[in-house]
Amino acid sequence: MPNTSSTTRTPDRVTADAVPTGMRIAGAFSWRFLVVVAALAVVVALVVLLQEIVVPFLVGLLVCALLAPMSAFLQRHGWPKWLAVLSCFVAVLVVIGVLALVVTAQIRYDLPTLEHRLRSNVQTFQTLLATEPFGITSAQVTKYLSEATTFLQAHVSSILSGAAEAGSGLVHALEGLFIVVFTTIFVLVDGRRVWSWVVRIFPRRSRGRIDAAGQAGWKTLTSFIRVQLIVAVTDALGIVIGALALGLPLAVPIGVIVFFGAFVPVVGAIVAGIVAVVIALVFNGLVPALIMLAVVVAVQQLESHVLHPFLTGSAVRVHPLGVVLGVTAGTTIAGVVGAFFAVPFIATVNAMVHAAADWRPGEQDDATPAARRSDDREADHGGVQS
């Protein structure tokens, strides 16, 4: 009797043979891709839900990445850890305080000149409006102002409601500042133990790869923040020097705006440059505004073609197209906050993915001290953090 078992095919086998190999591979890839997208969607939803905690925590990490090299330098020269961390905080507070005092002093110094120039420019603008082809007289301007006042009085309840929301936002801002300070302190003081605990959450076989990825990401983040700080200072100095040479008022406040705007790539530089040009146009006229625009463009070209390629090097490998798309996507998802975190997030994740892909098990002895410490701690304490 012939053996028919080898030629008999089950219905599942027949179905599998009927589906082309490429379709089966595409289907297997598709459902895994959908699972990954669903997991990322859950993470994004949690971040949005807990944004009042997540955003200050991320800001604290950025501040810590900025202060960590200074703290490590002081500790290498014999300073106690608590004193090094405290000194870093004092240095930041002193810098912020000095900037606030200088900005306040210049605003008070330039205020009479600003009032005179603004009054003169308003009169010139009114004269321009009264001429052809505008033909808007002072009486019409007064009428428009009266209508605007009536509109504000009719909507005073909405305005007060917005003021109440602003007060609530101030409370949340203070809470966020509290989280930023404590995150920075604890990461600077006990960051290695915190990271060892995070590594120990993962399975033992994955700890070496996770630790290598985390260390590469942290190195990239600190390099990125250091580069952005140098770029921001250079941009601010260039704009301030140009503003002082043109005799613009509020040169130092403009420089402060440029400094903080430089931490938001592409968007921040554009906004800060627009502010500088508008101030030059309003208070000094068209020609100084055009010169200020040329100064802004020159500073941005210096940043794009000299500072970033020279300072960044191989530490932060992010293509300019990735920067633009990342900032756009971050702005679409989370507004200004998304634009601020987009590039450091992309750079850090990029470094972590490459480090995880390049890691080999034989590198564990040299490249994963946090994983080894977590394994030793498990052996000594039964897997419980001491």
Side-chain angles (χ1 to χ4, degrees):
M1 182 175 180
N3 185 9
T4 59
S5 59
S6 60
T7 59
T8 303
R9 295 183 296 177
T10 63
D12 293 339
R13 180 66 178 173
V14 173
T15 303
D17 290 343
V19 179
T21 303
M23 184 64 71
R24 290 202 300 270
I25 295 174
F29 176 81
S30 298
W31 74 259
R32 288 176 173 85
F33 177 76
L34 291 176
V35 170
V36 172
V37 171
L40 292 177
V42 171
V43 172
V44 171
L46 289 176
V47 170
V48 173
L49 181 64
L50 303 175
Q51 59 181 330
E52 294 180 0
I53 298 176
V54 174
V55 172
F57 174 75
L58 295 178
V59 173
L61 286 182
L62 293 180
V63 175
C64 182
L66 178 63
L67 300 181
M70 184 190 306
S71 176
F73 174 81
L74 295 177
Q75 293 177 48
R76 286 196 302 269
H77 287 75
W79 289 47
K81 181 180 290 187
W82 67 269
L83 184 59
V85 173
L86 181 62
S87 300
C88 293
F89 268 98
V90 171
V92 171
L93 293 177
V94 168
V95 171
I96 295 176
V98 169
L99 285 177
L101 288 176
V102 172
V103 169
T104 304
Q106 184 167 35
I107 290 176
R108 294 183 59 183
Y109 176 79
D110 288 340
L111 191 59
T113 304
L114 292 177
E115 292 178 352
H116 175 72
R117 291 185 181 181
L118 186 60
R119 189 180 301 110
S120 175
N121 289 335
V122 168
Q123 292 176 354
T124 303
F125 186 65
Q126 288 178 344
T127 303
L128 177 64
L129 290 178
T131 59
E132 296 294 337
F134 302 103
I136 301 176
T137 62
S138 300
Q140 290 175 314
V141 172
T142 304
K143 177 184 176 183
Y144 296 148
L145 292 176
S146 176
E147 292 176 352
T149 303
T150 304
F151 176 83
L152 292 177
Q153 291 175 349
H155 295 80
V156 66
S157 59
S158 300
I159 297 174
L160 293 178
S161 176
E165 292 179 0
S168 176
L170 178 61
V171 174
H172 290 305
L174 294 177
E175 294 174 352
L177 180 62
F178 180 82
I179 296 175
V180 169
V181 171
F182 270 78
T183 298
T184 306
I185 290 175
F186 282 111
V187 173
L188 285 176
V189 172
D190 212 15
R192 293 187 181 274
R193 291 185 62 190
V194 172
W195 177 241
S196 297
W197 177 84
V198 172
V199 171
R200 206 173 68 251
I201 295 176
F202 295 89
R204 186 183 298 270
R205 291 190 303 174
S206 305
R207 291 174 187 173
R209 192 181 302 273
I210 295 297
D211 185 49
Q215 292 191 36
W218 180 251
K219 180 180 178 181
T220 299
L221 183 61
T222 54
S223 300
F224 175 82
I225 294 300
R226 183 167 58 249
V227 168
Q228 284 300 118
L229 178 64
I230 297 175
V231 169
V233 171
T234 305
D235 288 354
L237 287 177
I239 298 299
V240 168
I241 292 173
L244 291 175
L246 292 173
L248 297 186
L250 305 177
V252 175
I254 292 174
V256 172
I257 294 174
V258 172
F259 174 79
F260 287 106
F263 285 93
V264 182
V266 182
V267 177
I270 293 176
V271 173
I274 290 175
V275 170
V277 173
V278 168
I279 291 178
L281 178 63
V282 171
F283 293 106
N284 284 49
L286 180 60
V287 174
L290 294 176
I291 298 175
M292 191 71 233
L293 177 61
V295 171
V296 171
V297 172
V299 169
Q300 296 305 318
Q301 292 300 311
L302 175 67
E303 172 189 339
S304 301
H305 299 287
V306 178
L307 293 179
H308 273 301
F310 177 74
L311 295 175
T312 303
S314 60
V316 182
R317 293 180 177 270
V318 180
H319 194 274
L321 179 60
V323 172
V324 174
L325 294 179
V327 171
T328 304
T331 305
T332 303
I333 295 172
V336 177
V337 175
F340 179 77
F341 286 109
V343 178
F345 176 79
I346 293 173
T348 303
V349 171
N350 179 61
M352 294 178 70
V353 170
H354 279 84
D358 296 339
W359 181 85
R360 297 295 179 268
E363 302 174 359
Q364 183 172 0
D365 294 337
D366 299 328
T368 57
R372 293 200 310 274
R373 285 193 297 271
S374 64
D375 291 342
D376 296 340
R377 199 172 291 118
E378 274 192 3
D380 295 339
H381 305 284
V384 179
Q385 174 76 20
S386 59

